[in-house]
Amino acid sequence: AVVSTQRREFQTFQHYFKRINLSSKDTMALYQSLGPIREHIYKEKHVGGTTLKDVDSQLWVKEFAAFLKKSGKLNVPVWTDIVKTATFKELPPQDPDWFYVRTAALLRRVYLRQGVGCGALRKIYGGRMHRGSAPSHHKPASASVIRKALRGLEEMKMIAKHPDGGRMITSQGRKDADRIAAQVMSSRQE
């Protein structure tokens, strides 16, 4: 995520310096020499505020999972302490708050790709099934876990059903996601 932010900053500077006909090598040297000024110029260009795409995904998911747990609005199924997240797993997750983490990660996926459904999310969270000496195969993740998490987010009015199928993020969900992203960004800068 840091690399993508730096790449985005550099592309912004390339856009600025194309007007004065600098080569890409000269632009890169100028970009590196700017130091603290470049952050100011980048912020000036992007005045829309911090979104989920601007922060590290791992930090955001961890922070949003804490937000979901603290709010107490997410209905956690009773079987979360004994269920596996996929057929290819040997044990259930060791983290007692894993359902909040998975729900936050699912909201992030829906935010980034509107109209994603349960089947696509099963593929994303699936993995390799080890079959001994036979070749490995990809197996999808548990549909029940994904469905329950998506339903919980729907009850919280963070996502809704997409007219073409799948789920889409609501304005409330986008607002909460971007607010948490801004908190993550500010805590990272301190």
Side-chain angles (χ1 to χ4, degrees):
V2 174
V3 173
S4 65
T5 306
Q6 288 175 345
R7 188 179 310 124
R8 209 172 316 133
E9 282 182 20
F10 180 66
Q11 288 169 350
T12 303
F13 285 104
Q14 275 185 325
H15 176 73
Y16 277 128
F17 296 127
K18 273 184 185 175
R19 296 178 192 158
I20 55 175
N21 295 328
L22 284 177
S23 68
S24 60
K25 214 181 247 186
D26 295 335
T27 306
M28 184 59 144
L30 187 58
Y31 170 75
Q32 289 173 345
S33 69
L34 287 175
I37 299 170
R38 72 175 181 230
E39 187 175 322
H40 172 70
I41 294 172
Y42 181 73
K43 284 182 182 176
E44 187 178 296
K45 171 84 172 152
H46 295 86
V47 292
T50 305
T51 65
L52 181 136
K53 294 178 182 180
D54 297 329
V55 296
D56 182 30
S57 58
Q58 190 173 6
L59 296 174
W60 184 88
V61 167
K62 197 183 296 183
E63 196 70 32
F64 199 82
F67 164 73
L68 289 174
K69 185 174 182 180
K70 191 172 129 185
S71 71
K73 295 179 183 175
L74 182 66
N75 293 331
V76 179
V78 293
W79 42 257
T80 55
D81 55 339
I82 56 171
V83 74
K84 297 191 302 179
T85 56
T87 57
F88 60 88
K89 298 283 188 183
E90 292 186 16
L91 294 170
Q94 300 301 309
D95 181 12
D97 298 331
W98 71 268
F99 192 76
Y100 296 107
V101 174
R102 177 59 61 97
T103 305
L106 287 169
L107 181 74
R108 182 179 171 275
R109 287 286 180 175
V110 172
Y111 183 104
L112 295 175
R113 187 172 148 202
Q114 303 285 321
V116 68
C118 190
L121 291 168
R122 285 185 75 192
K123 282 184 210 166
I124 291 168
Y125 289 99
R128 186 189 308 192
M129 174 77 173
H130 301 288
R131 305 186 317 141
S133 59
S136 300
H137 288 297
H138 182 272
K139 292 287 182 183
S142 169
S144 178
V145 170
I146 292 172
R147 258 195 327 270
K148 297 289 191 279
L150 291 175
R151 283 183 192 158
L153 288 170
E154 276 184 24
E155 289 170 9
M156 293 176 70
K157 306 278 190 254
M158 290 194 175
I159 62 173
K161 294 207 175 185
H162 197 279
D164 297 333
R167 302 296 201 291
M168 64 181 193
I169 194 149
T170 61
S171 60
Q172 177 65 37
R174 186 175 300 278
K175 187 166 59 171
D176 287 342
D178 290 342
R179 184 173 47 79
I180 297 295
Q183 289 174 4
V184 169
M185 184 69 91
S186 66
S187 68
R188 203 181 104 207
Q189 288 175 351
E190 291 174 359

